[in-house]
């Protein structure tokens, strides 16, 4: 890989930092639009139909963010005063500002796992049924890939087993698939295969696919009709949203398969830092690399790297998160690995 200019900032904080390409901006500017609240935006409707087809669901709904997609799903699947089971380090538990409790009156039950992948037996043990004195379990939430676990994939057979446990107890399943596209590309399977038994699934376009804004929630048509009202209730109904939806359609055409390159760059970074005395590398499955520090605090390491133009995220007192994305080249990753190795030595 070619070396890069020393003064270039290599931003590995998140795959949300990407900027729309000139071609994506052109697609947005040329979008056919209408009032999506009054009578439907044609480009948004086209995106919703395509996402529903890709995920094997009856209908889909375009929303501003993945957090809103998760919260809308909880709102329509779980009645007030009930519980939703989620993995203990799930995004919905830690990074959505207690939205389930505040917006829907729903409690989230944290179930520990190994490396972010829920175990069917642990979920089964967490389900509460049949007592007049305990809150009722209303739904199961699964995050795939799992952000805090380093982009960990829940494989198809485990997804099937988890959905079977939910089905045995009459529970709907919501999948936080903000990076489901990454899981599908890494496994070489259609996204629909991973969520075939789920009730609802949220997918994001503002991460690996490089869009400025946007997520979709997909599921059965009656559920999506309720979700339409919940989206409006939460302030997510948009007017000429086709300008944003056009970026998502462009991304599905041009940025989906290239996720494999992000995964390769993540592996490259991990390989370059393997065996470093100050860093323990969590082997990546997708585009997220977790670095556990042995000699520095996370803040110390972030400051040292920022001084050399490499930006990373703090993910714990001694853990850094590094995320590869479409605005980071293979050369950038090589250079970033050199800087990490040098600065933390």
């Amino acid at each position: 890989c070619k070396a890069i200019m020393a003064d270039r900032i290599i931003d590995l904080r998140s795959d949300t930092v990407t900027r729309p390409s000139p071609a994506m901006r052109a697609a947005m500017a040329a979008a056919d639009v209408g009032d999506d609240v009054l009578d439907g935006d044609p480009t948004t409707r086209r995106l919703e139909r395509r996402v529903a087809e890709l995920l094997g669901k009856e209908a889909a709904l375009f929303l501003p963010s993945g957090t809103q997609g998760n919260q809308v799903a909880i709102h329509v699947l779980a009645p007030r005063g009930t519980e939703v089971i989620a993995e203990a380090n799930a995004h919905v538990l830690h990074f959505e500002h207690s939205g389930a409790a505040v917006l829907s009156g729903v409690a989230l039950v944290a179930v520990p796992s190994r490396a972010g992948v829920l175990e069917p037996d642990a979920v089964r043990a967490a389900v509460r049924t049949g007592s007049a004195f305990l809150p009722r379990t209303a739904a199961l939430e699964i995050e795939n890939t799992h952000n805090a676990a380093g982009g960990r994939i829940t494989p198809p057979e485990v997804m099937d087993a988890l959905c079977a446990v939910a089905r045995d107890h009459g529970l709907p399943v919501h999948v936080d698939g903000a990076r489901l596209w990454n899981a599908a590309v890494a496994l070489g399977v259609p996204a629909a295969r991973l969520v075939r038994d789920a009730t609802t699934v949220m997918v994001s376009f503002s991460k690996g696919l490089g869009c400025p804004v946007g997520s979709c929630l997909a599921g059965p048509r009656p559920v999506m009709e309720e979700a339409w009202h919940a989206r409006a209730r939460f302030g997510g109904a948009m007017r000429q949203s086709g300008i944003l939806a056009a970026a998502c359609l462009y991304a599905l055409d041009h940025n989906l398969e290239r996720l494999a390159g992000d995964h390769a760059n993540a592996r490259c970074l991990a390989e370059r830092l393997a065996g470093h005395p100050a860093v323990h590398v969590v082997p990546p499955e997708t585009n997220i690399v977790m670095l556990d520090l042995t000699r520095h605090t996370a803040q110390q390491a972030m400051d040292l790297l920022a001084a050399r133009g490499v930006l990373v995220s703090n993910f714990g007192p001694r853990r850094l998160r590094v995320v590869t994305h479409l605005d980071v080249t293979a050369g950038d990753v090589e250079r970033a690995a050199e800087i990490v190795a040098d600065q933390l030595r």
Side-chain angles (χ1 to χ4, degrees):
C1 300
K2 294 181 180 179
I4 60 170
M5 297 295 292
D7 59 352
R8 171 174 158 79
I9 298 297
I10 305 173
D11 195 340
L12 299 169
R13 291 173 298 169
S14 177
D15 42 11
T16 62
V17 302
T18 57
R19 308 255 179 117
S21 65
M24 181 180 284
R25 289 175 185 264
M28 296 169 71
D32 183 19
V33 299
D35 190 318
D36 195 44
V37 178
L38 290 180
D39 47 20
D41 180 288
T43 304
T44 299
R45 291 289 178 265
R46 187 154 58 95
L47 173 66
E48 290 170 342
R49 288 193 296 269
R50 185 165 178 187
V51 169
E53 182 178 354
L54 286 171
L55 299 177
K57 303 302 179 187
E58 288 183 341
L61 188 67
F62 186 53
L63 305 106
S65 72
T67 292
Q68 188 173 91
N70 287 337
Q71 294 303 321
V72 166
I74 290 171
H75 194 72
V76 298
L77 296 179
R80 296 185 72 83
T82 61
E83 295 180 339
V84 171
I85 294 171
E87 198 279 331
N89 290 307
H91 189 280
V92 73
L93 261 166
H94 296 283
F95 302 107
E96 300 190 9
H97 300 271
S98 301
V102 174
L103 300 172
S104 302
V106 170
L108 299 178
V109 176
V111 175
S113 73
R114 289 182 293 182
V117 178
L118 282 167
E119 296 179 358
D121 287 344
V123 171
R124 185 178 291 108
V127 176
R128 303 214 228 203
T129 58
S131 172
F133 306 102
L134 298 173
R136 177 170 63 87
T137 303
L140 167 65
E141 192 266 359
I142 305 169
E143 186 177 338
N144 197 8
T145 67
H146 195 295
N147 176 22
R152 193 67 59 206
I153 298 170
T154 298
E157 61 274 14
V158 179
M159 291 290 292
D160 293 346
L162 291 169
C163 290
V165 171
R167 187 167 54 248
D168 289 345
H169 292 89
L171 304 178
V173 175
H174 171 64
V175 175
D176 175 354
R179 294 181 175 89
L180 186 74
W181 309 120
N182 293 87
V185 168
L187 294 172
V189 302
R193 169 63 187 89
L194 290 170
V195 296
R196 67 182 183 185
D197 295 326
T199 311
T200 58
V201 54
M202 181 277 292
V203 289
S204 178
F205 297 97
S206 60
K207 295 181 173 65
L209 297 191
C211 296
V213 176
S215 294
C216 272
L217 179 68
R221 194 170 301 280
V223 176
M224 289 302 96
E225 290 172 357
E226 288 301 312
W228 191 95
H229 293 286
R231 182 187 66 173
R233 193 173 296 124
F234 293 167
M238 297 177 284
R239 300 296 179 172
Q240 286 74 36
S241 55
I243 293 174
L244 300 174
C248 303
L249 287 165
Y250 177 90
L252 290 173
D253 288 336
H254 298 91
N255 293 344
L256 190 54
E257 295 304 321
R258 59 145 304 281
L259 290 173
D262 295 343
H263 301 168
N265 282 339
R267 290 193 299 272
C268 175
L269 182 79
E271 290 165 3
R272 295 296 183 273
L273 295 176
H276 191 286
V279 178
H280 171 72
V281 180
V282 180
E285 291 185 351
T286 51
N287 68 320
I288 300 176
V289 185
M290 293 296 193
L291 304 177
D292 291 326
L293 306 169
T294 61
R295 298 179 179 173
H296 306 80
T297 67
Q299 189 60 56
Q300 288 170 341
M302 288 173 63
D303 292 343
L304 287 168
L305 299 180
R308 294 281 300 278
V310 175
L311 305 182
V312 298
S313 292
N314 181 332
F315 232 77
R318 289 186 176 271
R319 170 169 278 201
L320 301 179
R321 188 187 73 166
V322 178
V323 187
T324 55
H325 50 79
L326 63 82
D327 284 355
V328 174
T329 68
D332 291 338
V333 169
E334 292 275 1
R335 177 63 178 157
E338 293 174 5
I339 291 171
V340 172
D342 183 53
Q343 291 292 85
L344 302 188
R345 197 180 302 281

